Amino acid sequence: MSDYPFITPMEALQKQAQDQGDKLAFLYLEQGEVEADRLTFAELDAAARRIAANLQAIAKPGERAMLIYPTGLDFVKAMYGCLYAGIIPIPTNPPGRNRSAARLEAIAKDAQATLGLTTPAFLQLFELYRDALPELDALHWLEHERLESHGDREYQPIEAAPENMAFIQYTSGSTNTPRGVIISHGNLSYNRHVIKQGRQRELADDSVILTWAPLFHDMGLLVGVFQGVYDGNPSILMSPIAFIQKPIRWLQAIDRYKATLTGGPNFGYNICLNKIPLEECVGLDLSSWRLAFNSAEPVRADTQDQFAQKFSPFGFKPEAFHPAYGLAEATLLVSVVGGYPKTAVFVANRDELEQGHIKPGDPSDKNHSQELVNCGPPMCDLEVAIVNPHTLERCPPDEIGEIWVRGGNIAEGYWNNPEETEKTFRAYIKNNGAGPFMRTGDLGFMHEGHLYITGRHKDLIIIRGRNYYPQDIEHLVQSIHPSMRPGSGAAFSVKVHGHEQLVVVQEVKEDLRGEKTWEDIIQEIRFAIAREFGIRAYCVVLIQPGTLSKTSSGKIMRSEMRQLYEDNLLEIVASWKAPW
């Protein structure tokens, strides 16, 4: 850490307010188009001081505050206000999404939160469910207008050491109940340097950050709320709903504000491919876009290459793509790479891959090879180890294993959960005693110093001793017919008469397009899986739109879908099951 100077977000904001106070810090686009709110660095610093003074009058440093806001600058001000006051903010997804009220209740209880910071509209909504949500009802609620009000109170500056807690980031819970990741000021400061190193091809005096990722999610929070303040860049915010409803808004905002750094999960690029007609792109200029990060879910080479092909006539440069790997337990980022004219991949022999081994495949033999995307070298002095998740021994170079990481941005552990903290953050490699490492639960391998991701350990499908990654099967299914909803399928295995069998559950769109029946499409899915992967699907289920279980950040909850399948609770449009 000695080579990476320690600086808190409070110090960074105060420095920006002093050195370039009149410079734009944040701009919020209503519906992704209309300039609804803006803040200079000096205005944000002043707002954070007012909020901190009001918080200090009613709470002690170290108390936890839930931040329940829609995308917007009130969230940004509340976040910095809490940090200025020494209050521990907990960014959470606002009500309105699936199961969000129950999730908020669980987080409030787990975090032992005492404060709730929100808008009048959300506070009014909570009033309707007060009896059903006792943990939320017990919070000291503060409407934002009151929180930011002027008064006689004077802000008392605090000092934060690297080991002091900055905030608690609750995981999305794609495979587990959401857990509170403890992010220290030391983690934040180190992660600042990690991201800055990842920005080496983009960071300049004219840099502009743009994000549509949810601000309660680690990607939206660290890139959209913190990094611009650290590096002195403007940050343009738009809501994920505005993007999903009309994805051209994202690209138009890049053009309008000459954004240099923006990106999202792989599905965001897919949405642009599928939902933006070329006629909407007339006059579009994407030449300012120097870093297009792709992270938070498996990165697909075909998505990136098709995106580059479609949008290069409008100034997009393929070398702007930066596939990355990160997770909340690492504050945000572990590895990233960019600058290639075409997506950098390792072409693996599929037969060996299914056995858990890495060997080069023949790129011309699509049936027996698979492309795995290069996610770059570990940033700064982060160390990545590939470890057998069962024996806890370091894997040979040609073997897939669990990704373990250690370094300055690895979180302190899970809030109020010593057992999971010990299991996840205190891992040691058995054959050499190296550690402690943080176990990510993700599978992958290192090749020539770069990291490649193959899937989640808990989601891995093992049939007759061979390994299959659910995201590959899901991607294939969604390519079969236009009526399959992209990014809305789950592949998993169930035990039938003592043997693991493949089940595929896939959302459909509102209407069946073309002359084919649902039964025709199911048959095509079965044949495609058999042809592509050499296995038989035991059951294929097409379900109603919007009924697939996802986390608050959009990740597929495969274990929950398996449970719904086994409990016969799926909202079925059509299905097929193999006779046994």
Side-chain angles (χ1 to χ4, degrees), residues 3-206:
D3 293 334
Y4 304 102
F6 173 67
I7 181 172
T8 69
M10 302 87 79
E11 293 169 331
L13 177 53
Q14 289 161 11
K15 185 177 189 306
Q16 302 299 353
Q18 180 179 341
D19 295 348
Q20 49 181 0
D22 293 335
K23 183 176 180 179
L24 178 68
F26 288 92
L27 175 65
Y28 171 60
L29 301 179
E30 186 78 43
Q31 288 299 308
E33 298 177 8
V34 180
E35 294 187 3
D37 200 3
R38 58 172 55 224
L39 284 170
T40 64
F41 286 112
E43 288 169 340
L44 177 57
D45 176 58
R49 290 171 185 270
R50 288 195 302 272
I51 292 170
N54 287 329
L55 288 173
Q56 287 174 334
I58 61 172
K60 297 177 181 178
E63 290 190 42
R64 273 78 61 203
M66 295 183 66
L67 272 55
I68 307 171
Y69 290 85
T71 298
L73 302 196
D74 285 349
F75 173 91
V76 177
K77 290 184 282 189
M79 190 77 192
Y80 280 95
C82 285
L83 293 172
Y84 270 45
I87 301 298
I88 310 302
I90 305 170
T92 53
N93 54 312
R97 297 185 64 110
N98 224 0
R99 305 182 312 139
S100 61
R103 185 175 188 271
L104 290 174
E105 175 83 354
I107 290 174
K109 182 177 181 179
D110 182 72
Q112 300 166 313
T114 57
L115 302 173
L117 280 50
T118 191
T119 64
F122 286 146
L123 191 55
Q124 192 174 27
L125 184 61
F126 287 130
E127 289 290 333
L128 301 175
Y129 302 101
R130 170 172 285 185
D131 293 340
L133 303 171
E135 297 293 335
L136 294 179
D137 187 45
L139 296 178
H140 183 167
W141 286 98
L142 293 166
E143 294 183 7
H144 191 83
E145 287 78 357
R146 176 189 166 195
L147 192 63
E148 204 183 336
S149 64
H150 290 273
D152 298 331
R153 303 182 183 96
E154 191 171 326
Y155 166 58
Q156 302 298 320
I158 65 156
E159 292 186 8
E163 64 272 14
N164 293 153
M165 192 187 316
F167 63 89
I168 302 176
Q169 177 75 60
Y170 272 82
T171 62
S172 54
S174 59
T175 57
N176 294 293
T177 302
R179 292 171 292 191
V181 181
I182 301 172
I183 302 297
S184 70
H185 280 289
N187 296 149
L188 264 182
S189 180
Y190 186 93
N191 194 76
R192 171 263 176 115
H193 297 291
V194 170
I195 295 179
K196 191 169 185 177
Q197 182 178 335
R199 296 183 70 182
Q200 59 187 327
R201 300 189 69 257
E202 172 269 335
L203 187 60
D205 290 341
D206 66 343

Side-chain angles (χ1 to χ4, degrees), residues 71 91-104 107 169-179 212-220 240-241 244 265 267 296-297 328 548-557 560:
T71 298
T92 53
N93 54 312
R97 297 185 64 110
N98 224 0
R99 305 182 312 139
S100 61
R103 185 175 188 271
L104 290 174
I107 290 174
Q169 177 75 60
Y170 272 82
T171 62
S172 54
S174 59
T175 57
N176 294 293
T177 302
R179 292 171 292 191
W212 52 262
L215 299 186
F216 62 83
H217 185 260
D218 52 351
M219 178 189 291
I241 296 173
I244 291 170
F267 82 82
E297 63 181 24
L548 190 86
S549 297
K550 296 183 180 182
T551 69
S552 58
S553 59
K555 294 180 182 177
I556 307 301
M557 301 179 74
E560 181 160 316

Side-chain angles (χ1 to χ4, degrees), residues 309-326:
Q309 182 179 14
K310 180 173 181 176
F311 294 104
S312 60
F314 306 100
F316 180 79
K317 297 176 284 292
E319 56 267 28
F321 268 125
H322 281 62
Y325 173 70

Side-chain angles (χ1 to χ4, degrees), residues 152-376:
D152 298 331
R153 303 182 183 96
E154 191 171 326
Y155 166 58
Q156 302 298 320
I158 65 156
E159 292 186 8
E163 64 272 14
N164 293 153
M165 192 187 316
F167 63 89
I168 302 176
Q169 177 75 60
Y170 272 82
T171 62
S172 54
S174 59
T175 57
N176 294 293
T177 302
R179 292 171 292 191
V181 181
I182 301 172
I183 302 297
S184 70
H185 280 289
N187 296 149
L188 264 182
S189 180
Y190 186 93
N191 194 76
R192 171 263 176 115
H193 297 291
V194 170
I195 295 179
K196 191 169 185 177
Q197 182 178 335
R199 296 183 70 182
Q200 59 187 327
R201 300 189 69 257
E202 172 269 335
L203 187 60
D205 290 341
D206 66 343
S207 292
V208 176
I209 297 170
L210 170 66
T211 182
W212 52 262
L215 299 186
F216 62 83
H217 185 260
D218 52 351
M219 178 189 291
L221 183 65
L222 272 297
V223 175
V225 177
F226 286 120
Q227 200 62 33
V229 170
Y230 271 126
D231 292 336
N233 310 139
S235 297
I236 317 297
L237 309 181
M238 59 187 291
S239 81
I241 296 173
F243 162 66
I244 291 170
Q245 288 176 338
K246 193 177 179 182
I248 189 63
R249 290 167 170 160
W250 180 31
L251 306 188
Q252 289 171 338
I254 294 171
D255 180 358
R256 182 179 178 185
Y257 298 101
K258 304 306 172 192
T260 59
L261 166 62
T262 186
N266 196 84
F267 82 82
Y269 296 99
N270 258 328
I271 288 175
C272 292
L273 287 173
N274 297 325
K275 291 190 175 183
I276 300 180
L278 288 176
E279 53 267 26
E280 286 188 0
C281 300
V282 175
L284 194 65
D285 180 7
L286 301 177
S287 60
S288 67
W289 198 356
R290 297 195 290 264
L291 197 161
F293 61 85
N294 190 343
S295 188
E297 63 181 24
V299 180
R300 306 202 70 90
D302 56 350
T303 299
Q304 292 198 163
D305 293 341
Q306 290 169 29
F307 186 94
Q309 182 179 14
K310 180 173 181 176
F311 294 104
S312 60
F314 306 100
F316 180 79
K317 297 176 284 292
E319 56 267 28
F321 268 125
H322 281 62
Y325 173 70
L327 63 168
E329 287 85 348
T331 309
L332 180 67
L333 187 61
V334 173
S335 69
V336 65
V337 71
Y340 296 111
K342 185 176 174 62
T343 303
V345 299
F346 181 93
V347 180
N349 180 298
R350 177 173 283 169
D351 293 333
E352 293 291 337
L353 192 66
E354 291 169 359
Q355 297 289 344
H357 300 124
I358 292 297
K359 288 191 178 178
D362 181 357
S364 64
D365 185 358
K366 301 297 183 182
N367 291 328
H368 295 93
S369 66
Q370 183 167 331
E371 292 183 335
L372 300 168
V373 174
N374 181 351
C375 287

